[in-house]
Amino acid sequence: MKELRVGTFLAPNMKLVYEAITASLGYRLGVPARLVVETNYENCANDLNDVCFVCSLPYVMFQRGGISPSIPVVAPVLSGSRYQGRPIYFSDVIVRSDSGIEAFDQLRGRSWAFNEPMSHSGYGITRFHLVEIGETDGYFGEMIEAGFHETAIRMVADGRVDGSAIDSQVLEVEFHRHPELHDQIRVIDSLGPSTIQPVTITKRFDPDLRTAIQQVLLHLHEDPPMKGVMTRGLIERFVPVDDDSYDDIRTMVDVCEQAGFMELR
């Protein structure tokens, strides 16, 4: 292996953490390693990366379409009691602090920002929630694609939209880095928990190499400098996951498909 290519499809506010993890992987495996910030999920489907930080929804959707180039091997356990020491996360529904909106049902007919349609936390679980409450005939008054969770947060904070569903890890990292957000937005509901995004490894690698990479990731928190870096991203440690770990995401997609509600509206 001439170089380990690591792709991230996740939030920009985690980039420095993923860069440090990539560098540690390369050092411990004895190969050059490079983090690539991806903007096209086709690169995931086309197996361009050796290791991927990827959202669970595209992983599941590609697999449903017969495309399965990689295997989930680990996922992060986040710091905080709400995560129960498990590889889970939430989708926190936020509104502007002074909006007067106190519950999800008050968002009917309001404007809504989502990061992008292949995001489970920003799109998929909201779609599932609307099916659960029987609201599949046009719930939001306006839908705006923000591109990133961080952008959606600011759109709510400055009043451009009324609400959004935000990956709880991304939101907590933003709160830590930008404390002023506590005065600008409120969490009024939490959807989930869901199994958190996996780290996947290409099937091109033989089982021994996949296991070696998995073992590096599982023990990163034992290295004090790396533990400090991971803490800045709210990551306590990585734990093993496999394909079956994402059955909860599959179930949500199945429910939406059966309801004929695959497009959030």
Side-chain angles (χ1 to χ4, degrees):
M1 180 170 46
K2 293 181 179 180
E3 178 187 64
L4 186 72
R5 177 180 164 122
V6 179
T8 174
F9 293 84
L10 303 182
N13 73 356
M14 288 293 294
K15 182 185 175 187
L16 293 178
V17 177
Y18 299 144
E19 284 178 339
I21 292 172
T22 298
S24 187
L25 272 174
Y27 174 76
R28 293 164 191 266
L29 294 171
V31 295
R34 176 169 59 102
L35 181 72
V36 178
V37 176
E38 291 285 10
T39 58
N40 187 342
Y41 282 112
E42 289 305 309
N43 289 345
C44 185
N46 292 332
D47 197 23
L48 293 189
N49 296 300
D50 303 317
V51 177
C52 273
F53 298 96
V54 65
C55 185
S56 52
L57 185 58
Y59 168 74
V60 166
M61 294 303 293
F62 281 134
Q63 191 179 58
R64 284 164 62 93
I67 302 169
S68 182
S70 61
I71 300 171
V73 293
V74 301
V77 171
L78 302 181
S79 304
S81 59
R82 75 185 299 201
Y83 301 107
Q84 308 166 37
R86 298 164 53 204
I88 59 173
Y89 72 138
F90 296 84
S91 185
D92 288 335
V93 179
I94 64 168
V95 298
R96 186 176 166 88
S97 292
D98 61 1
S99 70
I101 298 171
E102 300 292 340
F104 191 92
D105 61 10
Q106 292 177 285
L107 287 164
R108 184 182 287 103
R110 304 285 193 126
S111 56
W112 181 263
F114 63 94
N115 55 335
E116 50 102 0
M118 286 293 272
S119 166
H120 174 69
S121 59
Y123 194 92
I125 198 168
T126 306
R127 180 179 60 191
F128 172 71
H129 181 65
L130 290 177
V131 171
E132 279 195 311
I133 64 175
E135 294 283 0
T136 59
D137 192 28
Y139 188 76
F140 299 113
E142 182 183 14
M143 296 281 297
I144 300 172
E145 184 170 351
F148 298 104
H149 279 302
E150 294 95 320
T151 305
I153 292 169
R154 270 66 186 187
M155 292 176 73
V156 173
D158 64 20
R160 279 178 284 167
V161 294
D162 293 307
S164 185
I166 306 296
D167 176 319
S168 60
Q169 181 186 19
V170 175
L171 184 59
E172 291 186 46
V173 169
E174 285 297 286
F175 276 145
H176 284 306
R177 295 181 184 175
H178 305 280
E180 69 277 6
L181 286 172
H182 284 287
D183 298 324
Q184 298 170 1
I185 60 175
R186 288 182 290 113
V187 176
I188 61 165
D189 203 349
S190 290
L191 310 180
S194 305
T195 307
I196 199 167
Q197 305 100 327
V199 181
T200 66
I201 300 178
T202 178
K203 291 179 180 177
R204 288 181 281 102
F205 285 180
D206 65 53
D208 288 344
L209 181 52
R210 288 200 300 268
T211 298
I213 294 171
Q214 181 190 43
Q215 287 302 308
V216 170
L217 294 169
L218 291 175
H219 293 281
L220 281 179
H221 66 284
E222 297 171 2
D223 176 66
M226 274 305 306
K227 184 175 180 63
V229 172
M230 290 163 61
T231 298
R232 291 200 288 273
L234 207 72
I235 298 173
E236 185 178 286
R237 67 187 186 279
F238 288 99
V239 295
V241 293
D242 58 22
D243 182 69
D244 292 345
S245 302
Y246 295 90
D247 284 349
D248 60 328
I249 313 297
R250 292 186 180 91
T251 297
M252 294 185 210
V253 173
D254 288 342
V255 167
C256 292
E257 190 171 63
Q258 289 161 14
F261 191 65
M262 293 298 286
E263 183 177 344
L264 187 61
R265 57 185 183 273

